Amino acid sequence: MEREPTRIREGYLVKKGSMFNTWKPMWVVLLEDGIEFYKRKADSSPKGMIPLKGSSINSLCQDFGRRMFVFKLTAAKQQDHFFQAAYLEERDAWVRDIKKAIRCIDGGQRFARKSTRKSIRLPETINLSALYISMKDPEKGIKELKLEKDKRVYNHCFTGTCVIDWLVSSNSVRNRREGLLLASSLLSEGYLQPAGDTSKAAAEGLSDTPFLDLSDAYYYFPDSGFFCEGYSSDDDVVLKEEFRGTIVKQGCLLKQGHRRKNWKVRKFVLRDDPAYLHYYDPAGGEEPLGAIHLRGCVVTAVEDMPDTKKYDVDNILFEIITANETHYYMQAASSTERSEWIKAIQTVARTGK
């Protein structure tokens, strides 16, 4: 009985059609011997498969001027396949894993990630549930703090470094490497939750380890009452948002109309439960003009568009492609704001309801 290929990485990417110049979101799965792509994540049969044997990959693809973070996979039969990621780190993570998979095929080896385990073995007596209770002890446990990063305030949380420090000082582990392994187990079992882009990216596989022993990687206890405060780009006031509450981000963006292709300023409110991006008349009004359902969508940066000549659009456009393949184009005020919106929408699309 043949062993099924291991799933190395999977997620939504925008893929260019092989016959027409159309770009559509696909659920892409990287296996040890090839790449499968599906119309939807829930589909059981792929729309296609690209064998990796004899393939090559180019991460600096300049074939499409207005699309950013595109990489090109050239199959053994010299057929080119183009994929677009949402941001630079995501593209680099896909390219890195695909390159490694190709090298493993060429060398006759199995794909294996770097592991923190190596020769480290945790004592069999460790009870994660009991350890969690000790970590939450008001006097001897990990101290919950109010931390600030990237114009956001994280309440009732702590750093990855604090977790490892506590594990070592409480003699729960013998060294920091072992502490990293134990903290990763606590994270995977739900005893710890990531807070902020750095720790979330690691937990999603964009780092060598799911848990980070860093002072700028934030975590929290799931029943701690954690919440985050962010600064609105509209009026520079602090908006308090429950982590599992409603508002994740809000601000004004230019939105392109679907019929007349004209651009208008709209106030956008990003909510994670349910996963919707509502837009309003910035002059006022409680009822939204419309909403974009984000569950299963793909969001990507766009460099320029033919319909945007009267605007300064250098590095500030982005595109949302919904699960039903509706395209929305937005323009932010700056490249930094665009990056913030892309990451926020991508998180909600992945974790919202």
Side-chain angles (χ1 to χ4, degrees):
M1 184 174 179
E2 288 189 19
R3 178 183 60 86
E4 289 190 5
T6 302
R7 291 192 170 205
I8 298 168
R9 177 176 295 278
E10 55 189 321
Y12 276 107
L13 294 172
V14 181
K15 183 181 184 300
K16 180 184 175 296
S18 56
M19 296 182 66
F20 303 101
N21 190 24
T22 56
W23 293 78
K24 294 183 178 182
M26 293 284 178
W27 182 257
V28 182
V29 179
L30 171 61
L31 305 172
E32 290 178 296
D33 59 352
I35 293 178
E36 293 180 342
F37 46 94
Y38 301 75
K39 187 174 182 179
R40 294 181 179 86
K41 181 181 179 181
D43 290 351
S44 57
S45 300
K47 288 184 67 65
M49 196 272 193
I50 308 168
L52 289 180
K53 186 174 182 180
S55 297
S56 62
I57 188 167
N58 182 6
S59 61
L60 300 176
C61 179
Q62 304 296 330
D63 297 47
F64 305 94
R66 75 180 185 88
R67 290 190 173 272
M68 301 177 67
F69 314 127
V70 174
F71 61 89
K72 178 172 69 174
L73 180 67
T74 303
K77 295 182 179 180
Q78 298 304 305
Q79 183 180 10
D80 293 334
H81 301 270
F82 298 91
F83 297 89
Q84 183 182 16
Y87 53 93
L88 179 63
E89 294 85 357
E90 184 183 48
R91 183 199 67 183
D92 290 348
W94 275 97
V95 170
R96 182 177 62 247
D97 283 348
I98 293 171
K99 282 184 176 179
K100 183 173 180 180
I102 293 173
R103 287 198 305 268
C104 289
I105 292 173
D106 293 341
Q109 301 172 331
R110 287 192 60 184
F111 189 102
R113 293 193 182 279
K114 290 182 179 179
S115 173
T116 56
R117 292 178 179 267
K118 295 183 180 177
S119 60
I120 299 174
R121 295 186 64 184
L122 291 175
E124 296 180 359
T125 55
I126 286 184
N127 183 317
L128 293 182
S129 179
L131 181 62
Y132 174 71
I133 294 174
S134 299
M135 294 171 76
K136 290 201 65 183
D137 186 278
E139 295 183 2
K140 298 181 180 180
I142 297 175
K143 304 302 179 184
E144 296 178 294
L145 306 170
K146 182 176 182 178
L147 303 171
E148 295 187 31
K149 182 183 178 184
D150 298 332
K151 295 185 179 181
R152 300 179 74 82
V153 180
Y154 299 86
N155 297 269
H156 300 286
C157 70
F158 37 83
T159 69
T161 299
C162 287
V163 173
I164 305 302
D165 286 346
W166 186 89
L167 291 173
V168 173
S169 63
S170 64
N171 295 319
S172 299
V173 294
R174 292 165 289 192
N175 51 56
R176 300 192 76 85
R177 289 176 61 201
E178 190 175 281
L180 193 61
L181 178 60
L182 180 54
S184 297
S185 298
L186 288 163
L187 185 69
S188 66
E189 293 297 324
Y191 291 106
L192 298 177
Q193 294 290 328
D197 292 338
T198 302
S199 55
K200 286 180 181 179
E204 291 161 7
L206 299 182
S207 180
D208 288 340
T209 58
F211 188 91
L212 298 175
D213 182 5
L214 298 174
S215 60
D216 63 346
Y218 298 162
Y219 300 89
Y220 67 96
F221 297 124
D223 56 353
S224 66
F226 167 85
F227 68 92
C228 177
E229 296 171 312
Y231 294 94
S232 166
S233 58
D234 267 343
D235 46 16
D236 206 30
V237 298
V238 177
L239 299 168
K240 182 176 179 180
E241 58 187 39
E242 296 297 329
F243 180 73
R244 299 189 184 276
T246 54
I247 296 177
V248 174
K249 183 176 176 60
Q250 62 180 331
C252 285
L253 297 166
L254 276 171
K255 176 184 177 294
Q256 186 189 51
H258 275 96
R259 294 181 180 178
R260 298 181 180 179
K261 302 299 182 183
N262 57 337
W263 291 78
K264 291 185 178 180
V265 177
R266 296 290 182 235
K267 180 179 179 181
F268 285 85
V269 178
L270 176 61
R271 292 180 170 87
D272 65 352
D273 187 12
Y276 276 95
L277 180 62
H278 291 87
Y279 50 95
Y280 301 77
D281 184 344
E286 295 183 0
E287 294 297 322
L289 299 174
I292 305 171
H293 191 200
L294 300 177
R295 189 63 176 162
C297 82
V298 175
V299 56
T300 59
V302 177
E303 285 194 331
D304 59 67
M305 292 173 57
D307 301 354
T308 57
K309 291 180 180 178
K310 62 181 179 180
Y311 298 105
D312 177 14
V313 296
D314 185 29
N315 293 327
I316 54 178
L317 287 169
F318 63 95
E319 174 186 18
I320 299 173
I321 307 176
T322 64
N324 63 1
E325 299 180 10
T326 303
H327 294 242
Y328 295 89
Y329 293 97
M330 319 289 182
Q331 180 177 321
S334 66
S335 59
T336 300
E337 185 183 40
R338 179 181 69 173
S339 297
E340 291 174 355
W341 274 105
I342 287 176
K343 290 186 177 181
I345 293 170
Q346 190 181 51
T347 299
V348 169
R350 186 170 52 246
T351 61
K353 296 180 181 178

